[in-house]
Amino acid sequence: TTTSAAAYPRKILDYMEGFLVSKTLFTACELGVFDLLASSQRPLSLEEVAQGIRASLDGTERLLAACTGLDLLNTHTLDGQVIYSNTEQSSVYLTQSSPVSLTQSIHYSSKTIYLCWHYLTDAVREGSNQYEKAFGVKSEDLFEALYRSEEEMVKFMQLMNSIWNICGRDVVTAFNLSPFTTIYDLGGCSGALAKQCVLTYPECTVTIFDLPKVVKTSREHFVTDDNQRVSFHEGDFFKDALPDADLYILARILHDWTDERSIELLTKVYRACRPGGGVLVVEALLCEDGSGPLTAQLYSLNMLVQTEGKERTAAEYTALLTASGFQNIQVERTGKIYDTVLGRK
Ligand code: SAM
């Protein structure tokens, strides 16, 4: 019948063309459309935007039209001429100067993740990441490949940093972490989550444990001197000894690694952990029955093309934690992308 779902495959057509939407967003950000409109004191005409972003009139017109269709821009008519301005969300999230800007993440999605996803079919067939095909780099050492240049490393760190402006507070408040005063953020990267922790818990100190070159960059570009309760520890969490602490945070760490490597790391954490202490795992959790959430399902494919790991269910994390010695495992969902699992020693 004409009313059946099969009559017009809207969903499938949308999915087929989903990448057109992503690329429109990437391009508008790369050309600085939202920045230009934010810095101007008034809405701009097509001619003014084209000149400001140094692009063709015809191309700009189509780009602005698509952004309008995507609700990323507003249009008005003034004296018979169409003028463009940012929507509220665009000015908050798509301009570089905004404190909660997503432009760095969009840049990384455009320049790195998108290229890896070109080889998704191979990744699924082979069951492994596609760095060699996408970038010509061997990936035996995952983070050697991810950090194949200083520039790539900084871009990755910016990607990691930006989401915690949006989801960080929910993650650190999902459990009451106030009993834990000495905290190590293993693979703490740019320190965004460490900063959220010290803001939320006035008694705690957080040490960011990461690879030496990451620590160096984090010190230079991300963590300022006014973050007095945040400090650093250079090391390799697979090879070096872990300092003792009340709480270890592992945010988006286990999803990079196989079950074997995850248990190896968690067992080291368990041994270093003070009695009564714990480990907080922060990840995008999959539902037990595999039905969602879609973001986590897609992230798991992303882990396939980019890493050695995968996204897991709460039961799978519980099994990894239990196999490593942790007890009393509790799960808290935040309703945003990242959830938390707490294990105790
Ligand atoms: N926890 C951060 C977050 O959620 O924003 C960053 C997560 S990122 C996916 C993985 C982090 O683990 C990176 O900062 C990386 O440098 C660090 N890392 C990877 N291998 C490591 C190792 N062997 N020792 C210490 N840190 C490592």
Side-chain angles (χ1 to χ4, degrees):
T1 72
T2 49
T3 53
S4 81
Y8 182 65
R10 150 123 287 146
K11 205 159 40 178
I12 292 174
L13 293 172
D14 284 348
Y15 293 171
M16 182 176 82
E17 293 165 357
F19 77 99
L20 305 187
V21 175
S22 300
K23 283 295 281 185
T24 302
L25 175 66
F26 297 168
T27 297
C29 287
E30 276 158 29
L31 289 171
V33 171
F34 307 107
D35 291 320
L36 177 74
L37 289 168
S39 66
S40 141
Q41 299 305 306
R42 55 176 176 82
L44 298 178
S45 68
L46 163 64
E47 287 75 12
E48 288 170 321
V49 175
Q51 201 169 38
I53 64 171
R54 284 189 239 108
S56 70
L57 208 56
D58 180 29
T60 305
E61 186 170 22
R62 299 184 205 202
L63 181 65
L64 298 186
C67 287
T68 305
L70 290 171
D71 285 333
L72 298 174
L73 292 178
N74 291 321
T75 60
H76 312 272
T77 309
L78 184 74
D79 303 330
Q81 192 185 31
V82 178
I83 50 171
Y84 298 88
S85 60
N86 284 333
T87 61
E88 196 189 338
Q89 286 219 342
S90 297
S91 53
V92 173
Y93 296 109
L94 299 179
T95 54
Q96 287 186 51
S97 57
S98 165
V100 292
S101 178
L102 287 171
T103 52
Q104 314 276 17
S105 306
I106 290 168
H107 189 69
Y108 192 83
S109 293
S110 170
K111 296 295 175 196
T112 299
I113 299 175
Y114 187 81
L115 303 183
C116 283
W117 275 62
H118 185 72
Y119 300 101
L120 181 61
T121 308
D122 300 273
V124 170
R125 210 172 264 141
E126 295 160 19
S128 57
N129 71 57
Q130 296 296 311
Y131 274 102
E132 195 147 5
K133 281 199 206 82
F135 303 111
V137 289
K138 292 239 181 283
S139 58
E140 274 106 67
D141 185 329
L142 178 59
F143 279 86
E144 283 293 310
L146 272 162
Y147 299 158
R148 57 198 166 280
S149 67
E150 168 93 19
E151 197 198 341
E152 269 299 314
M153 184 183 80
V154 173
K155 280 201 291 178
F156 180 82
M157 291 177 73
Q158 286 165 334
L159 171 81
M160 290 299 111
N161 201 58
S162 55
I163 198 68
W164 298 128
N165 291 323
I166 296 166
C167 302
R169 169 126 189 123
D170 302 74
V171 157
V172 300
T173 56
F175 287 100
N176 174 11
L177 302 179
S178 59
F180 307 109
T181 52
T182 312
I183 301 177
Y184 266 75
D185 188 357
L186 300 179
C189 201
S190 67
L193 212 50
K195 288 180 207 169
Q196 289 285 349
C197 257
V198 297
L199 272 176
T200 310
Y201 301 103
E203 305 297 320
C204 77
T205 59
V206 183
T207 308
I208 297 162
F209 184 109
D210 212 306
L211 300 166
K213 59 182 178 183
V214 176
V215 165
K216 186 168 169 287
T217 305
S218 194
R219 264 204 182 106
E220 283 169 10
H221 298 294
F222 291 95
V223 180
T224 54
D225 287 341
D226 28 302
N227 296 118
Q228 296 239 335
R229 286 182 288 126
V230 177
S231 56
F232 291 95
H233 186 123
E234 293 180 7
D236 180 321
F237 52 48
F238 286 118
K239 295 186 186 140
D240 299 325
L242 299 179
D244 66 320
D246 300 318
L247 182 74
Y248 299 84
I249 297 176
L250 290 170
R252 298 189 285 183
I253 302 300
L254 301 180
H255 78 169
D256 290 335
W257 307 105
T258 59
D259 288 357
E260 293 69 34
R261 295 225 90 185
S262 296
I263 291 173
E264 180 190 332
L265 178 56
L266 285 170
T267 303
K268 274 185 85 169
V269 172
Y270 182 79
R271 289 194 184 127
C273 186
R274 293 177 189 161
V279 63
L280 183 76
V281 173
V282 178
E283 297 284 359
L285 294 181
L286 286 163
C287 301
E288 299 303 334
D289 68 356
S291 64
L294 177 61
T295 305
Q297 293 165 330
L298 294 174
Y299 282 9
S300 203
L301 279 175
N302 193 46
M303 291 301 116
L304 179 66
V305 289
Q306 283 213 289
T307 73
E308 297 173 12
K310 60 180 178 179
E311 305 301 346
R312 298 179 175 90
T313 64
E316 288 173 322
Y317 283 114
T318 302
L320 294 179
L321 287 164
T322 309
S324 311
F326 288 99
Q327 294 167 356
N328 201 355
I329 320 288
Q330 293 165 275
V331 180
E332 280 294 337
R333 287 169 211 274
T334 69
K336 293 193 183 162
I337 302 176
Y338 293 103
D339 305 301
T340 52
V341 184
L342 182 69
R344 304 298 295 264
K345 174 164 173 174

